[in-house]
Each structure stands twice: as C-alpha cells, then as structure tokens.
Amino acid sequence: MCATKTQDIEATVEQANMLHNAGAGLVRVAVDSAKDVLALAEVRARVPEANVVVDLQENYRLVTQVAPHVNKVRYNPGHLYHHEKDKPVRDKVALIAETAAKDDCALRVGVNCGSVDPAMAAKFDGADEPGLDGVTAMVESALEHCRILDDLGFTRYVVSLKDSDPRKVIEGNRRFAAARPDVPLHLGVTEAGMLPDGAIKTRIAFEQLLTAGIGDTIRVSLTLPFAEKWREVEVGRQIIDDIENGRFRSVPKDFGQGLNIISCPSCSRVENEAFVDLAFNVKEMAQYAKAYDITIAVMGCRVNGPGETDDADLGLWCAPTFVNLKKGEEELGAFPYDTVLDRLRLELDALIEEKKAVGAH
C-alpha cells in the first residue's frame, strides 16, 4: 500500500511505480475525499501497468467515483456503519457491488479484528477462548458479507481476515476456508510492526496457512520509512519462495512472550509522518521492559487508532499534531509528539510495578 498522501500526486506515482517495479502484483491507495478522487484519476493515468486497488476507508459512497479508475475496490464491513447509520448494510453493499459490476472491478471484503461492526462484536462477545478474542465475530462478519454479495449476484470478490496476532489470523482464515472454500482469501497480519518481528509474525501465519492450501494473495504490513516500502514486497516474496522450496524457519520457543510492540504499516492514512519515527522510538525506549508480557500499540491514524489500541496495555494513536495515549480502553489524554514518550515511560513503569507486585512477568 502506498504510504504517501494520495493528493500528493508526484509522490504517490513515484511510490506506486516503486512498489510495482519491486514485484507487487497489486498497488493500493486510499481515498477519503473528493480531492483524493481527482488525484487518483491522475495517478491511475500515470501508472498504467500496475493493478491499482483503492481503499474506501470510511466513505463507501465514493465507490461511484473511484471505480472507473481502479482494478479492485476494498471495503471494510466494520466501517460501513459510520455513514448513514439508519440505512441497512445490505443497501450499502448493493451500491458497492452494482458499481463494481458496472465498472468491471473486483471487490475485497476486508475484515479486521480491531474494527468489526459493533453489532457483530457485541453479538459474539465471549464466544472465543482466551487469546482468540474477536475471531468468531471477524469470521461471521466475513461470512455475512459473502452471503450479501452472493444474493446480489456479485461473484468477483475476495475476503481478508486480519489481526496483529498471527494466531488469530491463522484461526480466522482456517475457519473461513472450511466454511467457504470457494471464496479466494487474501492473507495478511495487519500492524505486524517493525523488522524483524513484523516479518516473523507474518511468516508464522503464512507458513501455517499456505502449506494448508489456504490463501490466494498476500500482503506484508510493516512499519517502515516511506522510501523503504518496497521491503514489504521483498519480505513477502522471500516467504513465498521459502515455502515453495520447503524452507521453513523455526520459531523461538518464547516468541510471542514478553514485550510486544504492535505498529501499523506506514500507509497513506498516516496523518503525520512523525508516526514512523515515534514507533521506532517507542520500540527502542521500551526495551528495558522486554521480559514483561506487555503490549504497546502505536497506530498512525484515526481509522485504526481508536479501536485497535483497545486491546493493548498501552496504546498510542497519532493525530496530525498530537498523540492520543491510552491504557487499555481508558484515555489518558493527548500529548505533543515530542513529549508523549516521557509520559508513556511513566505508564510503562507503573505497569511493570503492578506486575512485580503480583509476581507476574
């Protein structure tokens, strides 16, 4: 996915070409406004060889304007409720599907554990065993939208079920594949974080799923400087090549224990490029807590930030000029980029002391 602002046409064209030349079969850009739509048309004209996918983000009605310019449209079922809340979900999906059919586009139903439709999340709250919270809601949301598209007679769609935890990605995709083996799956570990951990988390999921015949396309999501987004393609192709040639990496016995840094990919939704530096600084600062089972989430935008930090012990989601700091679902306040790290350290110290008090790591 391009990490640039879509309205920055020169930068977006440069990055789209970079990703395409690195071997990306799909290049995704985000659209969230009328100005983005105008920019998208220009980008499309200047990258004619790339398969362009557009991410509708929250405004599903923009599909009528973007579909003529792209090969595929991705929508998130969990975000459809943001607009026209009184309108049935089926009617919103119908608009997307009818437009895609008219403009010869494919669709991706992109479900994320951290942004499932609130009604679906509430319905299946408590349905999963510890460690797999939200998987049932994610799978059921995907199945519901498959039924809607099937009923509408639209067949050119794929599904993705993503989370930052590879265990949830594996379980969700296994369940979905068992229920709907006819539907192509797009695999990915969202917010996998920085190298090397991000590549390891992704590899765990891909090795387990692809060797079981599950998965048709993939995406690697890493927090990287914008100029190094091509590394996502490199990592993905390396994992596929290793699997095809029977090269599997052993996972350290204690991998997944201790400090866990979740950070979203540096994509075009990021509202301040300082997010990337902040994520790296958080990782460096927090190394003294590596022995403790503490999860810190660093999110770069308002789309993923609020919901996908809820499950972390400490969460940061970045706005254009400040960073929202959270402890679980509790909001601790908004802080400038240059001071939030100090407050985060105080909260991290307090968590460590709590764990010491109960004899836990």
Side-chain angles (χ1 to χ4, degrees):
M1 184 173 179
C2 290
T4 52
K5 297 295 184 186
T6 305
Q7 293 175 43
D8 187 343
I9 295 172
E10 293 298 328
T12 303
V13 167
E14 180 181 357
Q15 189 147 98
N17 281 322
M18 175 216 296
L19 294 171
H20 176 68
N21 293 335
L26 302 169
V27 176
R28 179 172 146 203
V29 298
V31 169
D32 201 28
S33 68
K35 290 183 178 180
D36 285 342
V37 174
L38 293 175
L40 173 67
E42 178 67 19
V43 171
R44 167 79 277 182
R46 293 173 58 180
V47 288
E49 296 181 358
N51 288 313
V52 177
V53 182
V54 71
D55 179 4
L56 287 179
Q57 299 196 57
E58 298 179 2
N59 192 348
Y60 80 96
R61 283 195 164 278
L62 287 177
V63 68
T64 58
Q65 299 174 55
V66 303
H69 307 298
V70 297
N71 304 95
K72 181 186 287 186
V73 171
R74 181 261 182 173
Y75 78 91
N76 182 341
H79 288 160
L80 289 181
Y81 73 92
H82 286 302
H83 290 267
E84 300 173 307
K85 294 184 179 181
D86 294 332
K87 179 176 285 189
V89 169
R90 179 189 172 88
D91 292 353
K92 299 176 184 180
V93 176
L95 175 66
I96 296 172
E98 289 164 5
T99 303
K102 178 174 67 73
D103 290 303
D104 194 28
C105 283
L107 292 178
R108 173 158 72 91
V109 180
V111 189
N112 285 358
C113 246
S115 56
V116 172
D117 186 309
M120 189 69 70
K123 181 178 180 179
F124 294 101
D125 183 34
D128 299 294
E129 61 185 82
L132 295 176
D133 306 62
V135 170
T136 297
M138 177 172 64
V139 174
E140 291 300 324
S141 178
L143 291 172
E144 176 188 59
H145 280 259
C146 288
R147 288 190 291 269
I148 294 173
L149 290 169
D150 292 342
D151 289 344
L152 292 168
F154 189 88
T155 60
R156 291 185 59 199
Y157 67 88
V158 303
V159 165
S160 64
L161 303 101
K162 297 184 181 180
D163 191 80
S164 59
D165 186 337
R167 295 171 298 175
K168 293 185 181 182
V169 174
I170 294 166
E171 180 66 18
N173 280 276
R174 281 177 173 167
R175 290 190 202 175
F176 181 88
R180 290 297 305 265
D182 57 310
V183 177
L185 277 168
H186 170 71
L187 305 181
V189 178
T190 191
E191 295 125 20
M194 292 157 275
L195 291 169
D197 289 7
I200 296 172
K201 292 176 184 178
T202 303
R203 179 179 288 274
I204 291 170
F206 288 1
E207 286 185 350
Q208 294 294 316
L209 292 169
L210 292 176
T211 53
I214 298 171
D216 299 273
T217 59
I218 67 166
R219 179 192 173 196
V220 176
S221 301
L222 300 173
T223 307
L224 292 162
F226 287 6
E228 297 180 26
K229 291 296 286 181
W230 58 269
R231 292 187 182 276
E232 293 179 331
V233 183
E234 179 183 66
V235 169
R237 289 192 167 274
Q238 183 62 60
I239 293 173
I240 291 174
D241 186 66
D242 286 346
I243 292 172
E244 287 179 339
N245 289 283
R247 297 188 295 265
F248 299 98
R249 306 292 177 89
S250 62
V251 177
K253 187 176 181 180
D254 61 353
F255 185 78
Q257 300 176 19
L259 180 67
N260 179 30
I261 306 290
I262 298 171
S263 58
C264 61
S266 38
C267 76
S268 59
R269 288 193 296 253
V270 169
E271 297 181 76
N272 188 326
E273 197 170 336
F275 151 77
V276 178
D277 290 335
L278 177 62
F280 280 93
N281 289 338
V282 167
K283 181 180 180 181
E284 181 180 1
M285 180 277 290
Q287 285 309 298
Y288 71 94
K290 63 183 179 181
Y292 296 90
D293 289 331
I294 293 174
T295 295
I296 302 175
V298 191
M299 298 291 115
C301 73
R302 62 181 169 81
V303 176
N304 290 329
E308 301 200 21
T309 50
D310 281 354
D311 292 333
D313 296 294
L314 295 170
L316 303 88
W317 70 271
C318 301
T321 59
F322 58 86
V323 180
N324 297 281
L325 182 61
K326 297 169 62 181
K327 182 177 181 181
E329 297 184 16
E330 177 189 357
E331 296 188 6
L332 301 178
F335 300 86
Y337 275 83
D338 59 355
T339 65
V340 69
L341 209 60
D342 293 332
R343 177 60 187 270
L344 177 66
R345 183 192 293 271
L346 293 176
E347 297 296 334
L348 183 56
D349 288 343
L351 273 179
I352 291 174
E353 290 305 314
E354 289 176 16
K355 288 184 174 293
K356 287 180 177 178
V358 297
H361 281 83

